[in-house]
Amino acid sequence: MIGTNVSGLTKEDIGYENGVLGGVVSALKVFAAPGDKVLLHSPTYMGFTNAVLSNGYQIVHSPLIKDENGTWRMNYEDMDKKIKKNQIHVAIFCNPHNPTGRVWTKEEITKAMEVYERNNVWVISDEIWSDLMMNDHHYTPTQSVSEWAKEHTAAFYAPSKTFNLAGLIGSYSVIYNKPIRERIQSVGKKTFYNSMNVFSEHALIGAYSDEGNNWLNQLLPVLSQNVNLAYDYVTKHFDGVSTFKTEGTYMMFLDCTDWLKEHDKTQTELLERGWDYGIGWQDGGLFQGPTSIRLNLASPTSRIEDAFKRMDKYVFNAEW
């Protein structure tokens, strides 16, 4: 949902999109020409990578860095340097961040927006995970941090992650800048993909009802429990594997670099070993994390426990 700290929002500011990635592409077509470079943080959601490249744009990555506590941080100096060097005027921002699970604070978003403002960069912000705050973390809408951010950001939301409605499509944009909003909506309307689905429309309305909110309030403690379980298991049992304790989203990104070196295994071998023993996980290479693994923790806690026991017994602490 759009969240707190939001003021001045009118129904005219909200637009329909069949999907967040489609909205991202529509915005890219307004803000940039094919062949232009786009700034993204890495690790990067593979959906962004595919959407940007398949529509003729180039990607410039500004890598997130881990501080002394293992918390993912933006490198503002690197962002500024990459933007200037590559003459970039559009950036894709992910808030909360997928795949790292980082929930950006108001101060962090403000600093990022200051970098973009200094360089006249338009911002496309994916806020699809904004409902999924783990362990009482707080979501800050990108457009809420300053008047400049409000007028220079196209934000995209959807109930698909939170309410498991991805198969029904249906998402929405929040764009306060009227001329920009009209141009993005014009591009979207001219694409075949962006036709209204009545079923998805009513599913979206139902998700954001009191009943949907009640369901979400019961969901978040379960997902938080899963995050805590996964983090504790990795840190206590898997030597050579590290991870950040997911703050938002239900994803966790495992760094297996040291484990692979220690055991003289390849990323491919590790992934295949997991799948052979019924562990469903995803190659971090798809997200610019070549020795990382992405986990989805949105399952009953018993299934998460079983998965980690399998990782322990058959993968990370097994002879193979």
Side-chain angles (χ1 to χ4, degrees):
M1 299 180 193
I2 295 171
T4 56
N5 303 322
V6 174
S7 59
L9 179 66
T10 67
K11 65 180 182 180
E12 287 76 23
D13 301 324
I14 303 172
Y16 174 83
E17 296 288 340
N18 253 6
V20 165
L21 289 175
V24 167
V25 171
S26 294
L28 278 175
K29 290 180 178 179
V30 170
F31 296 141
D36 284 355
K37 295 176 180 178
V38 182
L39 188 77
L40 290 94
H41 290 114
S42 59
T44 307
Y45 170 48
M46 64 178 184
F48 294 151
T49 301
N50 295 336
V52 174
L53 296 180
S54 64
N55 282 278
Y57 303 96
Q58 300 181 60
I59 294 175
V60 174
H61 289 113
S62 178
L64 301 177
I65 53 178
K66 287 185 178 181
D67 64 16
E68 63 277 7
N69 299 314
T71 300
W72 293 94
R73 303 285 184 186
M74 287 181 274
N75 185 336
Y76 305 108
E77 290 183 6
D78 182 73
M79 290 165 62
D80 187 77
K81 179 181 177 181
K82 297 278 179 64
I83 289 169
K84 286 181 167 66
K85 180 180 178 181
N86 295 281
Q87 299 180 318
I88 292 172
H89 290 288
V90 60
I92 297 177
F93 192 65
C94 195
N95 175 38
H97 188 266
N98 174 23
T100 68
R102 186 70 222 283
V103 173
W104 305 120
T105 65
K106 181 179 180 180
E107 291 72 25
E108 288 173 311
I109 298 172
T110 299
K111 288 181 180 179
M113 293 302 118
E114 288 171 352
V115 172
Y116 297 139
E117 182 177 5
R118 285 198 304 270
N119 291 283
N120 297 307
V121 173
W122 291 94
V123 181
I124 303 170
S125 190
D126 176 356
E127 320 243 336
I128 197 171
W129 298 97
S130 57
D131 298 322
L132 293 164
M133 298 291 102
M134 304 297 105
N135 294 301
D136 298 320
H137 280 277
H138 179 70
Y139 156 71
T140 301
T142 299
Q143 291 163 314
S144 72
V145 301
S146 69
E147 190 60 31
W148 185 91
K150 183 176 182 179
E151 290 297 317
H152 292 80
T153 301
F156 294 91
Y157 298 82
S160 53
K161 305 296 185 185
T162 306
F163 298 95
N164 200 21
L165 296 174
L168 291 181
I169 63 175
S171 65
Y172 56 98
S173 60
V174 175
I175 307 171
Y176 293 93
N177 186 317
K178 184 179 178 182
I180 293 301
R181 180 176 68 246
E182 290 177 346
R183 289 168 68 185
I184 292 174
Q185 290 178 351
S186 176
V187 172
K189 288 176 182 176
K190 292 177 175 64
T191 57
F192 173 76
Y193 102 96
N194 212 24
S195 57
M196 172 66 76
N197 180 313
V198 176
F199 193 17
S200 67
E201 175 189 4
H202 287 278
L204 189 152
I205 293 170
Y208 291 146
S209 67
D210 289 340
E211 290 84 355
N213 190 56
N214 179 46
W215 183 86
L216 178 59
N217 288 336
Q218 295 180 60
L219 171 69
L220 293 179
V222 176
L223 293 181
S224 295
Q225 180 181 355
N226 290 354
V227 166
N228 298 341
L229 185 157
Y231 179 79
D232 290 344
Y233 214 109
V234 171
T235 55
K236 292 177 181 177
H237 298 283
F238 301 160
D239 290 339
V241 181
S242 62
T243 191
F244 169 70
K245 189 173 183 178
T246 300
E247 297 173 343
T249 82
Y250 43 67
M251 298 298 179
M252 184 167 280
F253 210 52
L254 307 185
D255 184 348
C256 304
T257 306
D258 293 340
W259 188 94
L260 291 168
K261 288 179 181 177
E262 235 174 85
H263 295 81
D264 194 27
K265 302 293 184 185
T266 66
Q267 174 82 344
T268 299
E269 289 173 329
L270 175 59
L271 290 164
E272 289 178 350
R273 178 78 176 188
W275 281 104
D276 286 345
Y277 286 92
I279 302 163
W281 52 16
Q282 196 169 20
D283 184 3
L286 298 169
F287 307 86
Q288 285 74 54
T291 54
S292 296
I293 291 176
R294 184 184 188 235
L295 300 179
N296 184 328
L297 302 176
S299 292
T301 302
S302 60
R303 299 298 297 273
I304 302 300
E305 289 176 335
D306 178 61
F308 275 89
K309 287 177 181 176
R310 288 171 185 243
M311 290 182 213
D312 190 352
K313 184 176 180 180
Y314 301 113
V315 183
F316 293 119
N317 291 311
E319 293 291 336
W320 53 287

